[in-house]
Amino acid sequence: MTADATVMRHISQRAQQREVVGFHGVPLPDHVNRHLSPISLSGGRPHEGFYPLTKITYEFKDHPFGEPKVAEDASKLDLKRALNYGPTEGFPQLLEFAKDLVLLTNKPGYSGWNVTLTNGSGDSLHKVFNLLLDPGDTVLLEAYTFVPTINTIGSWGGSPVPVPINFEDGGIDVDYLEQLLEGWFQGQYQEKPFPKVLYTIPTGQNPTGLSLKESKRERVYGLAKKYDFIIVEDDPYGYIQLGAFTDGVDNPFDDDTYDSARFVKERLLKSYIQYDSDGRVLRLETFSKVFAPGARLGFIVGHSELIRRIIDHSNISTKAPSGLSQVSVLSAIAHSGGARGWIEWCVKVSKVYTERKNVLIRTLLESEAYKKGYFKYNEADAGMFITIDLNLPEGDDHRLELEGLRYKAIEKGVEVVLGKNMAFTPEYAKSAKFIRLTLATASDNDELIEAARRLSQAVLSFFEQ
Amino acid sequence: MTADATVMRHISQRAQQREVVGFHGVPLPDHVNRHLSPISLSGGRPHEGFYPLTKITYEFKDHPFGEPKVAEDASKLDLKRALNYGPTEGFPQLLEFAKDLVLLTNKPGYSGWNVTLTNGSGDSLHKVFNLLLDPGDTVLLEAYTFVPTINTIGSWGGSPVPVPINFEDGGIDVDYLEQLLEGWFQGQYQEKPFPKVLYTIPTGQNPTGLSLKESKRERVYGLAKKYDFIIVEDDPYGYIQLGAFTDGVDNPFDDDTYDSARFVKERLLKSYIQYDSDGRVLRLETFSKVFAPGARLGFIVGHSELIRRIIDHSNISTKAPSGLSQVSVLSAIAHSGGARGWIEWCVKVSKVYTERKNVLIRTLLESEAYKKGYFKYNEADAGMFITIDLNLPEGDDHRLELEGLRYKAIEKGVEVVLGKNMAFTPEYAKSAKFIRLTLATASDNDELIEAARRLSQAVLSFFEQ
């Protein structure tokens, strides 16, 4: 009996059927020559310059009980508590911060809400869809989205249905959504159950960087109520606000312009949970984007009964998030001065992202490719991504062509994400003419400028080959 | 429409059916007067004196990119990498350590094995049972075990079947197991599918503290091969070895007695994975017991194909474990001097646990309750738990009586875990006459002595009430 035969026979149906599909395109063919010093505008890895934490020093003992005990301090989370088993939902100190932040920024429209920490938003999504989906249940999503979510939905038996994006409105096309729901049983998805969940990234949407207008949010929430579905609001990027593109040096987040109250009032759009009256919104936040992804820490805000069941799920699986992550985030929060100070850190982060957006777009607009009309840029409102649209005919299948553009970009030394790879149906993959560029990863403006030049050359070569 | 009605209607069957049952007994009745300064011999929370890490110092910046970049050092895991997104299976540096440790202590009997990190053994169990179990599948377990595992098995539809413990052999009763398997289709469980998995804690078993003899391990593995089941070997406690009880001050782990090689050779029993020839053993280790539970870090060793699928599961759920946890464990490893130094730390930990075991048992044996024959102690081989047996008649249902003993213990000021609460069938809960005591939580020997005295008084009062 070979080892392989033995192990294969014991794998559950569930594990055999699990699909994990990435979105970074197909393997490179041999004829593509990689650049020796590529710059990444793909992925969403924030450069370490964005992390508030710069240094950690550890001290160890050489024998158990060999040194004075770890000091105790009831007022905050000390190391003794952080290192031991902790509450599954997270330490009270960090839950309190999360609630403070929610109350300052996105106060739910009803009182019976609660919060639980998770191991980041990937873990949140896994638990939220476990909570909501029975096999076969329909989930609506933006037609272009963070596609790994599809794997998670699929792992619980959910069935995704795309809703197009209205670029004018900054997000999900509400008219389309209304008609889709109204005519569900006569429409193209009539064989599927009526939708149970809308998964959406309303602010700084991935990949578009758009934020849905508040008037449209109100309408979407009204549809959720009328048609009785749950809104899963994924908001990893909302605290990174982007000023409108300017050719000059204007930056709305220049020093001392925004305190936390003004930033919240003038810049942050209302969360769906602020419209919520009956506990049908689950809001997902993360510490990945403005603290550090490696902390693997996020939280979910929602109806206390739903939160209780998510904690039950954690009880039989992950248990509590890392105490070392929690104590490091709590230290950063203490350093910044609590929830208001945390928001002011977000203003500073927004300033850098806005500057990067201006630098990247400005360089693209100066290029020959732009001047020849080969692409246009899309204004992005929030988050770490912008997109540019290639000047290709409507209605055709652009998938193969765009793969060719990607090869050219790689040869010129810049990595990008093709819009087609952020679609989860062939229909939207075919028609995608955009590419996604991240502002997060470059080490400085000069690197972004170089990346933009390389990309422009790739586009030029693509259109003039 | 009330909020509660809305949310309840949207909860999946899976989430509605999830059961999370703890094992710390029923709520206290009003007539029980809690002691004002209770000492815990329940739970498994190691005292902070056991953690090698004594202090963490963080440094922060006040503006993104406002200070020199985090230093880069290709030779080990630097903060820049620890704080960003990392590989789902863990950083290569920590995987390499895990493999070094496996090779030094428990080298698998075949070559195609691999390792993945997880968020601790609770997470490992969740992923392992997801991998192996289809709804209805039968899992064999020691009749007294770490009962939260039952919740995890149940969440994937598994059905647990108890196998008794043979105290002479130090673990699972192999004769019983053989007969159970041989006569499965004529036996009491004939309605259930033939067992697919044996979940076992062969070393320092929870709750008994026993370690199964190697000759019996060989027989169990032979049965796994003959009857084609998978062995899930949970080994959180194996590196904590306990010397045999002595009334004196003898401690086999006194300074400089054991280097890592001698400790491994003379003290560690063979893992099932060392007998494995065809990839049917999944071995679970954790950093919780000899580093810190709050790290939420563990790893799984097994056939590379199974490990690949577990990583796929992590890809759609937890992603990588905390980078902050990983960098802190890596620092501790570097401080101790790699895998050999790590094992030498375990020798030092074993020394303290052995001393605690001697102190606890010695105090119990000096008590009036012991001298009157009301209980006997059981020798424990490894881990953080010992048990004592109460002198109660065989064959009766002791559940209500033992709850009464627990109330007395609480009034005297000591918390214990009743054996009945570590059974998962009424049959074994009824016949349990033992209580479990942890060596891990007390701050020093004096506290253990006081706890033992209180417990003895509670036992005396229980028998002479």
Side-chain angles (χ1 to χ4, degrees):
Chain A
M1 184 185 303
T2 71
D4 291 329
T6 303
V7 302
M8 293 307 288
R9 201 170 48 241
H10 287 93
I11 295 170
S12 65
Q13 292 292 317
R14 186 191 310 108
Q16 283 180 39
Q17 287 160 10
R18 181 176 298 127
E19 285 191 55
V20 182
V21 184
F23 62 104
H24 291 287
V26 293
L28 277 193
D30 288 341
H31 68 80
V32 179
N33 298 309
R34 285 187 180 279
H35 191 278
L36 289 176
S37 312
I39 302 173
S40 176
L41 297 180
S42 73
R45 295 171 65 88
H47 188 273
E48 63 270 22
F50 287 112
Y51 312 148
L53 186 54
T54 55
K55 190 175 178 188
I56 308 182
T57 312
Y58 299 103
E59 291 176 34
F60 299 99
K61 58 194 168 206
D62 291 320
H63 292 272
F65 293 86
E67 277 171 41
K69 289 173 201 163
V70 176
E72 208 169 327
D73 174 359
S75 67
K76 57 181 178 56
L77 182 64
D78 56 32
L79 199 56
K80 164 186 162 177
R81 284 183 179 75
L83 288 175
N84 213 324
Y85 293 102
T88 301
E89 66 274 22
F91 284 104
Q93 296 88 338
L94 197 48
L95 289 173
E96 192 185 320
F97 166 80
K99 287 176 189 167
D100 285 351
L101 191 65
V102 168
L103 288 173
L104 276 176
T105 56
N106 298 296
K107 191 182 170 194
Y110 64 104
S111 60
W113 56 278
N114 203 353
V115 170
T116 181
L117 294 188
T118 66
N119 294 332
S121 281
D123 184 47
S124 296
L125 287 171
H126 186 245
K127 287 171 178 164
V128 160
F129 288 122
N130 173 290
L131 174 78
L132 298 174
L133 298 185
D134 285 308
D137 278 349
T138 303
V139 180
L140 303 173
L141 302 89
E142 281 117 7
Y144 302 108
T145 190
F146 179 61
V147 288
T149 307
I150 301 294
N151 299 325
T152 304
I153 291 170
S155 78
W156 299 122
S159 174
V161 163
V163 180
I165 289 168
N166 180 324
F167 286 77
E168 292 300 307
D169 290 341
I172 201 159
D173 186 329
V174 191
D175 292 334
Y176 179 100
L177 178 64
E178 184 160 25
Q179 285 161 29
L180 179 72
L181 293 165
E182 203 172 295
W184 187 267
F185 296 104
Q186 295 79 46
Q188 67 169 305
Y189 304 108
Q190 57 182 271
E191 303 300 319
K192 291 178 188 270
F194 194 82
K196 193 170 176 185
V197 178
L198 167 67
Y199 166 81
T200 182
I201 310 170
T203 304
Q205 203 258 348
N206 184 358
T208 62
L210 296 172
S211 298
L212 186 66
K213 289 179 182 167
E214 285 191 345
S215 61
K216 303 292 173 179
R217 293 178 189 221
E218 198 168 355
R219 274 187 62 200
V220 170
Y221 182 78
L223 291 173
K225 210 154 167 143
K226 178 173 177 188
Y227 290 103
D228 193 24
F229 58 85
I230 299 279
I231 297 175
V232 176
E233 173 181 273
D234 194 5
D235 190 14
Y237 314 110
Y239 297 112
I240 303 172
Q241 291 291 314
L242 299 173
F245 168 68
T246 162
D247 201 16
V249 293
D250 293 351
N251 190 323
F253 306 112
D254 265 336
D255 288 354
D256 303 328
T257 315
Y258 282 92
D259 64 6
S260 64
R262 189 175 161 209
F263 184 74
V264 170
K265 184 156 178 271
E266 296 184 10
R267 286 284 163 177
L268 300 190
L269 294 175
K270 282 173 93 170
S271 160
Y272 281 116
I273 210 163
Q274 294 179 265
Y275 300 99
D276 197 9
S277 56
D278 51 5
R280 64 172 69 252
V281 176
L282 286 163
R283 174 174 163 79
L284 277 47
E285 295 203 29
T286 176
F287 291 99
S288 288
K289 311 305 178 189
V290 296
F291 179 75
R296 307 310 309 131
L297 267 187
F299 60 89
I300 308 174
V301 192
H303 190 279
S304 56
E305 177 64 18
L306 300 183
I307 297 297
R308 185 183 72 75
R309 284 167 188 269
I310 290 168
I311 296 168
D312 267 359
H313 186 186
S314 299
N315 271 325
I316 60 138
S317 57
T318 53
K319 322 281 180 186
S322 161
L324 286 154
S325 292
Q326 291 187 70
V327 77
S328 69
V329 169
L330 278 166
S331 293
I333 290 164
H335 179 82
S336 71
R340 288 181 197 280
W342 191 261
I343 294 168
E344 279 153 24
W345 171 258
C346 296
V347 176
K348 295 172 187 173
V349 169
S350 295
K351 180 188 168 193
V352 176
Y353 273 99
T354 297
E355 185 182 322
R356 287 179 165 224
K357 176 186 156 183
N358 284 336
V359 163
L360 181 64
I361 293 179
R362 194 182 306 138
T363 312
L364 288 170
L365 299 195
E366 286 163 4
S367 72
E368 192 182 340
Y370 179 77
K371 288 172 183 164
K372 286 186 169 175
Y374 294 150
F375 71 89
K376 71 180 190 69
Y377 82 95
N378 300 310
E379 189 64 81
D381 305 308
M384 41 176 70
F385 304 116
I386 68 162
T387 61
I388 61 172
D389 282 348
L390 297 167
N391 188 357
L392 293 170
E394 294 290 340
D396 293 357
D397 181 351
H398 300 296
R399 289 179 294 181
L400 216 61
E401 276 172 284
L402 282 180
E403 212 52 59
L405 170 63
R406 185 176 147 247
Y407 301 155
K408 286 199 183 292
I410 287 168
E411 291 190 327
K412 297 285 183 195
V414 60
E415 290 161 8
V416 300
V417 172
L418 301 176
K420 74 177 180 70
N421 293 338
M422 310 225 41
F424 57 92
T425 62
E427 173 194 3
Y428 287 97
K430 282 178 192 170
S431 62
K433 300 191 295 182
F434 70 92
I435 61 179
R436 191 193 76 174
L437 312 175
T438 184
L439 306 168
T441 306
S443 52
D444 52 30
N445 290 348
D446 287 347
E447 197 172 295
L448 273 178
I449 290 169
E450 176 62 20
R453 287 182 181 149
R454 291 177 182 184
L455 177 60
S456 305
Q457 285 164 18
V459 171
L460 192 69
S461 158
F462 171 74
F463 277 97
E464 299 187 351
Q465 64 198 335
Chain B
M1 184 185 301
T2 71
D4 291 330
T6 304
V7 302
M8 293 307 288
R9 202 170 46 243
H10 287 92
I11 295 169
S12 66
Q13 292 292 317
R14 187 192 308 107
Q16 284 181 37
Q17 287 161 9
R18 181 176 297 126
E19 285 191 54
V20 182
V21 185
F23 62 104
H24 290 288
V26 293
L28 277 192
D30 288 341
H31 68 79
V32 179
N33 297 310
R34 284 187 179 279
H35 191 278
L36 289 176
S37 313
I39 302 172
S40 176
L41 296 180
S42 73
R45 295 171 66 89
H47 187 273
E48 64 269 21
F50 285 112
Y51 312 148
L53 186 53
T54 54
K55 191 175 177 189
I56 308 182
T57 312
Y58 299 104
E59 290 175 34
F60 299 98
K61 59 193 169 209
D62 291 320
H63 292 272
F65 293 85
E67 277 171 42
K69 289 174 203 162
V70 176
E72 208 169 327
D73 174 358
S75 66
K76 57 181 177 57
L77 183 63
D78 56 32
L79 199 57
K80 165 186 161 176
R81 284 182 179 76
L83 289 174
N84 214 324
Y85 293 102
T88 301
E89 65 274 22
F91 284 104
Q93 295 88 336
L94 196 48
L95 289 173
E96 192 185 320
F97 166 80
K99 286 175 189 168
D100 284 351
L101 191 66
V102 168
L103 288 173
L104 276 175
T105 57
N106 299 295
K107 191 182 171 194
Y110 65 104
S111 60
W113 56 278
N114 203 352
V115 169
T116 181
L117 295 188
T118 66
N119 294 329
S121 281
D123 184 48
S124 295
L125 287 171
H126 186 245
K127 286 169 179 166
V128 160
F129 288 121
N130 173 290
L131 174 78
L132 298 174
L133 298 185
D134 284 309
D137 278 349
T138 303
V139 180
L140 304 172
L141 301 91
E142 281 117 6
Y144 302 107
T145 190
F146 179 59
V147 289
T149 307
I150 301 295
N151 299 325
T152 304
I153 290 170
S155 78
W156 298 121
S159 173
V161 164
V163 180
I165 290 168
N166 180 325
F167 286 77
E168 291 299 307
D169 289 342
I172 200 159
D173 186 328
V174 191
D175 292 333
Y176 179 100
L177 178 65
E178 185 160 26
Q179 285 162 28
L180 178 72
L181 294 165
E182 204 171 293
W184 187 265
F185 296 105
Q186 295 79 46
Q188 72 175 116
Y189 304 108
Q190 58 183 272
E191 302 301 319
K192 292 177 187 270
F194 193 82
K196 194 171 175 185
V197 178
L198 168 67
Y199 166 81
T200 182
I201 310 169
T203 303
Q205 202 258 348
N206 184 359
T208 62
L210 297 171
S211 298
L212 186 65
K213 289 179 182 166
E214 286 190 345
S215 61
K216 304 292 172 179
R217 294 178 190 222
E218 197 168 357
R219 274 188 62 200
V220 170
Y221 183 77
L223 292 173
K225 211 153 167 143
K226 178 174 178 189
Y227 289 103
D228 194 21
F229 58 85
I230 299 278
I231 297 175
V232 175
E233 173 181 274
D234 194 4
D235 190 14
Y237 314 110
Y239 297 111
I240 303 172
Q241 290 291 314
L242 299 173
F245 168 68
T246 162
D247 201 17
V249 293
D250 291 351
N251 189 323
F253 306 112
D254 265 336
D255 289 353
D256 304 327
T257 315
Y258 281 91
D259 64 6
S260 64
R262 189 176 159 209
F263 185 74
V264 171
K265 184 157 178 270
E266 297 185 9
R267 287 283 165 177
L268 300 190
L269 295 175
K270 282 172 94 169
S271 160
Y272 281 116
I273 210 162
Q274 294 179 263
Y275 300 99
D276 198 10
S277 56
D278 50 5
R280 62 173 69 252
V281 175
L282 285 163
R283 174 174 164 81
L284 278 46
E285 295 205 27
T286 177
F287 292 98
S288 288
K289 311 305 178 191
V290 296
F291 179 76
R296 307 309 311 130
L297 266 188
F299 60 90
I300 308 174
V301 192
H303 190 277
S304 57
E305 177 65 19
L306 300 183
I307 297 297
R308 185 184 71 74
R309 285 167 187 267
I310 290 167
I311 296 168
D312 267 358
H313 185 187
S314 300
N315 271 324
I316 60 138
S317 57
T318 53
K319 322 281 181 189
S322 161
L324 287 153
S325 291
Q326 291 187 69
V327 78
S328 68
V329 169
L330 278 166
S331 292
I333 291 164
H335 179 82
S336 71
R340 288 180 197 281
W342 190 261
I343 294 168
E344 278 153 23
W345 171 258
C346 296
V347 177
K348 295 172 187 173
V349 170
S350 295
K351 179 186 168 193
V352 177
Y353 273 100
T354 298
E355 186 183 322
R356 286 177 166 226
K357 175 187 157 183
N358 284 336
V359 163
L360 182 64
I361 293 180
R362 193 182 307 135
T363 312
L364 289 170
L365 300 196
E366 286 163 5
S367 72
E368 193 181 340
Y370 180 78
K371 289 173 183 162
K372 287 185 168 177
Y374 294 149
F375 71 90
K376 71 181 190 67
Y377 81 96
N378 300 310
E379 189 65 81
D381 305 308
M384 41 175 69
F385 304 115
I386 69 163
T387 61
I388 61 171
D389 283 348
L390 297 168
N391 188 0
L392 294 169
E394 294 289 339
D396 293 357
D397 180 351
H398 300 297
R399 289 179 295 180
L400 215 61
E401 275 173 284
L402 282 180
E403 212 52 60
L405 170 63
R406 184 176 148 247
Y407 301 156
K408 285 198 183 294
I410 286 168
E411 291 191 326
K412 298 285 183 194
V414 60
E415 290 161 8
V416 299
V417 172
L418 301 176
K420 74 178 181 68
N421 293 337
M422 310 223 43
F424 57 94
T425 62
E427 172 194 2
Y428 288 97
K430 282 177 191 169
S431 62
K433 300 191 296 182
F434 70 91
I435 61 180
R436 189 193 77 173
L437 311 174
T438 183
L439 306 168
T441 305
S443 51
D444 52 30
N445 290 348
D446 287 347
E447 198 172 295
L448 273 178
I449 290 169
E450 175 63 19
R453 286 183 181 149
R454 292 177 183 184
L455 177 60
S456 305
Q457 284 163 17
V459 172
L460 192 68
S461 158
F462 171 74
F463 277 97
E464 299 187 352
Q465 65 200 334

